[in-house]
Amino acid sequence: MNRTLITPADEAHWHAMRAQDLTSTDVAALFGLSPYKTAFELWHEKRSGEVARVKDNDRMRWGRRLESVVAEGIAEEKGWQARPFKEYGRLPELRLGASFDYRVHPNHTGTDWPDGSILEIKTVDFLAFRNGWTIEDDY
């Protein structure tokens, strides 16, 4: 299978690519676990290519603002090098795709960038955490 990495020209291009694929964001809806859409709605989105978008709000804007601070802090604590992961990854034959937040590597030197690992950042405010999350261990 051919994995392709595409750097989107802009946000509209990124949304257009995602509309073609089943993405990591869609998986929760596929398995009936999304609070935002059902598997039925997902099917219609992928069939029509018209994606319902959530209106931008303060929580979303603050999540984006905090993303780089959290990633840089984690990388510093772990001794990793980190860079934003701007590419959209696709498996075109399967119509699967994903975009991630950061690429990290423990031993990066020089100007080339090895594959490294993916670092995905999610911030959750207190009310969302209190009302929708369960603590299962000491973390």
Side-chain angles (χ1 to χ4, degrees):
M1 244 171 276
N2 294 325
R3 178 182 73 167
T4 61
L5 289 176
I6 304 162
T7 302
D10 54 27
E11 189 172 352
H13 182 216
W14 178 70
H15 282 293
M17 287 189 295
R18 290 172 53 83
Q20 299 174 48
D21 298 328
L22 183 67
T23 70
S24 53
T25 303
D26 297 326
V27 171
L30 183 65
F31 289 97
L33 299 172
S34 173
Y36 306 108
K37 74 175 90 168
T38 65
F40 180 77
E41 291 168 318
L42 174 63
W43 184 86
H44 282 282
E45 280 184 5
K46 295 305 174 181
R47 189 167 197 293
S48 70
E50 295 178 25
V51 178
R53 294 203 178 91
V54 176
K55 186 178 178 189
D56 207 25
N57 60 49
D58 283 340
R59 288 179 177 176
M60 293 165 68
R61 284 187 290 276
W62 276 104
R64 288 190 303 271
R65 289 172 184 147
L66 292 170
E67 186 177 280
S68 63
V69 174
V70 172
E72 291 167 16
I74 291 169
E76 181 181 317
E77 283 189 12
K78 299 289 186 180
W80 298 340
Q81 297 296 315
R83 74 161 175 88
F85 196 156
K86 300 293 185 186
E87 300 84 12
Y88 179 73
R90 294 191 75 213
L91 292 174
E93 299 90 357
L94 298 178
R95 291 188 58 196
L96 294 175
S99 50
F100 301 102
D101 297 331
Y102 277 77
R103 194 170 256 183
V104 294
H105 197 278
N107 300 312
H108 172 65
T109 58
T111 57
D112 64 323
W113 192 270
D115 280 345
S117 298
I118 294 168
L119 177 62
E120 190 70 12
I121 306 296
K122 298 293 178 243
T123 56
V124 179
D125 73 20
F126 172 74
L127 294 175
F129 179 79
R130 183 192 70 192
N131 296 335
W133 290 59
T134 303
I135 298 174
E136 296 180 3
D137 52 32
D138 292 338
Y139 296 102

